Amino acid sequence: MDQQVPIVRKLAEDVVNRIAAGEVIQRPANALKELLENSLDAKSTNIQVTLKNGGLKLLQIQDNGTGIRTEDLGIVCERFTTSKLQQFEDLTKISTYGFRGEALASISHVAHLTITTKTNGALCAYKALYKDGKLKAPPKSCAGNVGTIITVEDLFHNIATRKKSMKSFNEEHLKVVEVVSRYAIHNPMVGFTVKKQGELLTEVKTNQGSTHIDNIQAIYGSTISRALLEVNDYCNVLKVKIKGYVSNPNFSAKKQIFILFINDRLVDSQGLRKAVDQVYSIYLAKGSHPFIYLSLNLDPMNVDVNVHPTKHEVHFLHEDKIIDKVVDAIQDKLSGSNTSRTFYTQTRLPMSCDTLIDKSKEKLEIKESEKLNNTNSTNVSQNKMVRTDCSEQKIDKFLNTSNSSNSTLMLPKSKTNDVITRREIKLTSVLSLRKEIENCCSETLQTIFQNHKYVGAASPTWSLFQHDTNLYICNSNNVLQEMFYQIMMYEFGNFGVIKFSNALSIYELIMIALELSESGYQGSEDKPKEELAHDATEIIVSRALMLNDYFSIEIDTDANILSIPLLLEGFLPDLDGLPLYLLRLASEVDWSSEKQCFHSFCRETARFYILHPWKQQCGDNDDISVRNNTINIKYAILCINSKKCAILCRIKLSFN
């Protein structure tokens, strides 16, 4: 018996349209993206999005754009009706978001669609309801503002399988918010708002006429916005303009944020995404990701925008070369990002002495020490057991360990230090001061600090640490002051920069310092305070070129200080001490002799870097008796490598 040959039939038009709609509108976020792009094409400056059940129950977008003409409402939801194209060749130079006329048609086949619109100059607005691309009834006049309100209700009500495939309302809501957030970052001149129906609080809110940085901060927070590097490049050969912002090597996140616009269209490029990840793999730990926002402008003749139903992907000529150009632009920014750092500060709450002392009362555990020669293990007497902190606070916990243990004392660098050129200092005065440090070196103290374990804080200025079976107490201020002095000597002329977000008047800062009791100024009829401040300012400003060249202290022509040296990566001194520091530079530094000038300047700078905001509140206990196991640490960390210096600085940071 012959098998019956199946008959080829033409699908019904409603079936065809519903299949096509399912390709264009895959979830609420796709519908919102299409509507959002229509609003932007209509020259809107304010767009409001309202959601219910992640957009499945209600998805509404309201704009203040040009609106839709009343005579066009009859065909606006039919397939392939558009004001953007007239012939196929127009696709090669398309410069708008929507162009195929499928968005509204697709939505009307899978949801209940309502359009309320008013054009400029019209007497009233008109409201129209659609089903399967057709008007349900003639548009009705109503009150309304210039612009368009599109309301999508019961999305996928006639495609049960698609609706069931949606994982949760919350997940769909987050995807809609993500789409709006990305368009808000790329279009800072447009104000965006996203909120749930019936709620006053907004999920996303950006202001009209803001900046890219403002919107990134409003959406993702200040942590990201402060870590951004601007990328701006142009290649005349490839005819590509690259703009955007990428995070510096100090920032990392568990989830990747990759925002890419090509010719103002939100798209994705797996090739570019992988290439950027490879660049950051040098700087970030495994499992960490950067923040990337890039906008590429290409010649429209080189871009094919019509390769995906949702227009989520594009194809363009010379893709590999363009990706290489983008990667090079990002690499250039990252490689130079550690030569200058900007730190933002906030007021720190003072910590009481009791809190600091409580930290030193952490529970200590006792563990047996291993025999040096791996001999037979026997019971170890208690006086031979090593008491250590229960959290094993070793150097490896705080730093990336270095293979070099005998390197010259250096400022810890980031992973890009292989591209940083260091100046070789041959000044006789500096070399002589370094020699004096090395001659005063104590091998015993070096050994203690290189192999110590930090225990805790006995007071704001006294620290407990252990070496071998001995418990020591040291004045951490003395330790840190010597450490910073040595960094000043060995990093001479090669400092990083801590830039102030605002220029600070040197004269005003010195006036503040003269009000402090530490300045020693008690008033004088012969020399009023204003005149003293003026003289001190002149002393500092007259040395501006030298200060900038050797110590990264930048002073502008208006006698404002713009920066101070970066002595340790990620370490910011207490800026409350800046006024007194400037006053002491003018009064305590011996400017007459080169060697004495550098020596006294570095000493004063080291003193400034160890100031504590709580020092005056708690005070030092001058009556603490110095027992045999207590060491005077004035030259404790002479000539040890930068890795050990950083852990000693960590002791100070733990107090804060």
Side-chain angles (χ1 to χ4, degrees):
M1 185 177 180
D2 295 337
Q3 290 183 340
Q4 187 176 1
V5 179
I7 301 174
V8 177
R9 296 185 178 87
K10 184 178 181 179
L11 290 174
E13 185 177 355
D14 62 331
V15 177
V16 173
N17 290 333
R18 197 170 297 178
I19 292 173
E23 293 177 347
V24 176
I25 308 301
Q26 298 175 354
R27 62 195 327 148
N30 296 121
L32 187 277
K33 179 177 180 291
E34 299 285 350
L35 299 177
L36 199 61
E37 292 176 344
N38 287 342
S39 294
L40 292 170
D41 278 338
K43 306 297 187 297
S44 303
T45 59
N46 196 288
I47 299 175
Q48 301 177 33
V49 178
T50 305
L51 303 169
K52 183 177 181 181
N53 290 357
L56 290 170
K57 186 64 177 177
L58 173 70
L59 175 62
Q60 184 182 83
I61 181 169
Q62 178 178 356
D63 64 55
N64 62 347
T66 57
I68 302 172
R69 298 191 312 162
T70 308
E71 50 267 38
D72 293 335
L73 288 175
I75 64 169
V76 73
C77 285
E78 293 184 9
R79 292 191 70 192
F80 309 121
T81 55
T82 178
S83 62
K84 318 297 172 57
L85 294 178
Q86 292 184 359
Q87 53 189 359
F88 181 81
E89 287 73 16
D90 292 340
L91 279 172
T92 62
K93 54 184 178 181
I94 196 71
S95 60
T96 58
Y97 293 106
F99 50 86
R100 293 187 307 226
E102 286 188 289
L104 292 175
S106 297
I107 293 173
S108 70
H109 284 284
V110 293
H112 303 301
L113 178 64
T114 303
I115 298 178
T116 304
T117 185
K118 180 184 179 184
T119 57
N120 191 18
L123 297 178
C124 62
Y126 286 88
K127 183 177 183 180
L129 281 69
Y130 296 86
K131 180 180 180 182
D132 295 333
K134 304 293 183 181
L135 275 169
K136 285 186 175 182
K140 294 182 179 180
S141 59
C142 62
N145 297 322
V146 174
T148 304
I149 302 174
I150 297 181
T151 305
V152 180
E153 297 177 282
D154 296 324
L155 188 62
F156 302 129
H157 69 94
N158 53 357
I159 308 180
T161 53
R162 176 65 61 81
K163 193 170 185 178
K164 290 179 180 178
S165 68
M166 303 292 108
K167 293 183 178 180
S168 68
F169 295 149
N170 185 58
E171 182 174 339
E172 299 306 319
H173 178 87
L174 293 177
K175 289 186 178 296
V176 170
V177 170
E178 180 181 355
V179 170
V180 178
S181 299
R182 298 187 173 203
Y183 273 97
I185 290 172
H186 185 67
N187 298 273
M189 302 306 293
V190 181
F192 289 84
T193 304
V194 180
K195 67 176 182 178
K196 293 181 179 179
Q197 185 186 39
E199 294 188 5
L200 298 177
L201 295 178
T202 58
E203 304 278 335
V204 174
K205 182 173 178 58
T206 61
N207 297 321
Q208 178 184 344
S210 57
T211 65
H212 298 290
I213 293 290
D214 291 338
N215 288 357
I216 291 174
Q217 180 174 349
I219 295 169
Y220 292 105
S222 58
T223 302
I224 291 180
S225 66
R226 291 175 179 177
L228 295 180
L229 302 172
E230 184 176 6
V231 178
N232 197 338
D233 200 358
Y234 178 74
C235 179
N236 190 40
V237 177
L238 298 173
K239 297 187 182 302
V240 56
K241 186 176 182 180
I242 305 167
K243 296 182 68 176
Y245 293 89
V246 299
S247 57
N248 63 34
N250 287 332
F251 174 83
S252 65
K254 294 182 179 179
K255 182 180 179 182
Q256 185 185 52
I257 302 176
F258 183 85
I259 304 172
L260 174 63
F261 282 80
I262 296 181
N263 287 3
D264 297 323
R265 188 179 307 281
L266 178 63
V267 296
D268 192 15
S269 171
Q270 290 298 324
L272 181 57
R273 185 190 290 262
K274 291 178 180 178
V276 172
D277 275 345
Q278 188 173 2
V279 172
Y280 274 91
S281 65
I282 303 174
Y283 304 94
L284 304 182
K286 186 177 181 180
S288 299
H289 301 283
F291 172 91
I292 304 293
Y293 159 61
L294 292 174
S295 175
L296 308 184
N297 283 332
L298 309 175
D299 187 342
M301 297 289 292
N302 296 336
V303 182
D304 184 0
V305 297
N306 192 34
V307 297
H308 193 276
T310 64
K311 294 174 287 188
H312 184 62
E313 297 177 7
V314 296
H315 287 170
F316 49 92
L317 296 178
H318 315 300
E319 183 171 347
D320 292 340
K321 293 181 179 179
I322 290 176
I323 290 176
D324 290 341
K325 184 63 178 176
V326 174
V327 168
D328 290 342
I330 295 176
Q331 180 65 64
D332 288 344
K333 284 295 179 180
L334 295 178
S335 63
S337 63
N338 286 325
T339 59
S340 176
R341 293 291 175 86
T342 299
F343 292 89
Y344 295 79
T345 62
Q346 63 182 11
T347 304
R348 293 182 295 181
L349 296 176
M351 188 178 289
S352 66
C353 295
D354 291 339
T355 305
L356 292 168
I357 294 174
D358 286 342
K359 285 189 175 182
S360 67
K361 296 180 179 179
E362 296 176 349
K363 183 178 179 181
L364 301 179
E365 65 179 4
I366 298 177
K367 64 179 183 180
E368 295 182 357
S369 60
E370 298 180 354
K371 295 294 183 178
L372 295 177
N373 299 321
N374 293 326
T375 56
N376 295 332
S377 59
T378 57
N379 292 332
V380 181
S381 60
Q382 291 188 0
N383 67 318
K384 296 296 183 181
M385 292 182 179
V386 179
R387 297 191 332 127
T388 62
D389 186 88
C390 61
S391 61
E392 288 291 341
Q393 299 198 72
K394 298 180 179 179
I395 290 174
D396 294 343
K397 177 179 178 181
F398 303 113
L399 303 167
N400 291 326
T401 56
S402 171
N403 293 329
S404 174
S405 59
N406 297 313
S407 58
T408 306
L409 182 63
M410 298 173 57
L411 179 69
K413 302 288 185 184
S414 69
K415 297 180 182 178
T416 59
N417 60 353
D418 55 332
V419 298
I420 296 177
T421 303
R422 291 181 55 83
R423 296 166 58 185
E424 184 179 359
I425 302 299
K426 297 183 178 180
L427 294 173
T428 304
S429 56
V430 176
L431 297 179
S432 175
L433 290 170
R434 291 178 181 175
K435 190 66 176 178
E436 290 178 6
I437 292 176
E438 293 165 3
N439 290 338
C440 294
C441 177
S442 169
E443 294 184 2
T444 302
L445 293 179
Q446 277 191 3
T447 302
I448 291 174
F449 273 94
Q450 288 177 354
N451 300 284
H452 82 284
K453 292 181 180 178
Y454 175 63
V455 176
S459 77
T461 53
W462 292 87
S463 302
L464 294 170
F465 64 93
Q466 183 168 337
H467 174 257
D468 198 11
T469 58
N470 299 320
L471 183 66
Y472 297 91
I473 187 170
C474 73
N475 187 317
S476 53
N477 277 353
N478 289 342
V479 174
L480 296 170
Q481 186 170 350
E482 187 62 30
M483 180 191 71
F484 283 122
Y485 171 72
Q486 291 180 35
I487 289 176
M488 292 291 294
M489 282 291 107
Y490 285 93
E491 281 296 289
F492 195 95
N494 292 286
F495 296 107
V497 180
I498 298 175
K499 288 186 177 180
F500 300 131
S501 53
N502 297 312
L504 303 175
S505 169
I506 296 176
Y507 174 81
E508 293 180 3
L509 289 172
I510 292 178
M511 286 290 289
I512 293 173
L514 290 172
E515 296 287 345
L516 302 175
S517 59
E518 293 90 338
S519 68
Y521 177 74
Q522 298 178 350
S524 171
E525 295 181 357
D526 298 332
K527 203 75 166 177
K529 180 173 62 176
E530 292 77 9
E531 188 175 345
L532 281 174
H534 182 268
D535 293 344
T537 302
E538 282 193 345
I539 292 174
I540 295 176
V541 172
S542 64
R543 276 81 177 180
L545 292 177
M546 183 268 287
L547 294 177
N548 188 23
D549 186 30
Y550 289 152
F551 303 108
S552 297
I553 297 180
E554 185 179 356
I555 299 173
D556 63 17
T557 55
D558 296 325
N560 296 318
I561 184 169
L562 307 179
S563 66
I564 57 176
L566 175 67
L567 301 191
L568 280 179
E569 189 78 10
F571 174 77
L572 182 68
D574 176 26
L575 296 181
D576 287 346
L578 184 60
L580 192 60
Y581 171 56
L582 294 175
L583 177 61
R584 292 186 64 87
L585 288 185
S587 60
E588 301 299 327
V589 174
D590 184 354
W591 300 100
S592 60
S593 167
E594 181 179 294
K595 180 178 178 180
Q596 288 303 315
C597 173
F598 292 155
H599 171 76
S600 54
F601 185 93
C602 293
R603 282 294 181 192
E604 290 299 330
T605 302
R607 178 177 178 177
F608 162 56
Y609 271 73
I610 61 117
L611 287 176
H612 299 299
W614 33 256
K615 184 175 180 181
Q616 293 181 354
Q617 299 175 14
C618 297
D620 290 330
N621 189 348
D622 297 331
D623 296 331
I624 295 180
S625 59
V626 182
R627 298 185 178 90
N628 292 333
N629 64 341
T630 304
I631 52 180
N632 188 333
I633 302 296
K634 186 175 182 181
Y635 297 103
I637 54 174
L638 304 174
C639 303
I640 63 177
N641 61 54
S642 60
K643 181 172 64 175
K644 304 303 186 292
C645 283
I647 186 62
L648 291 172
C649 182
R650 185 71 185 192
I651 297 175
K652 175 182 183 296
L653 294 177
S654 69
F655 289 160
N656 294 337

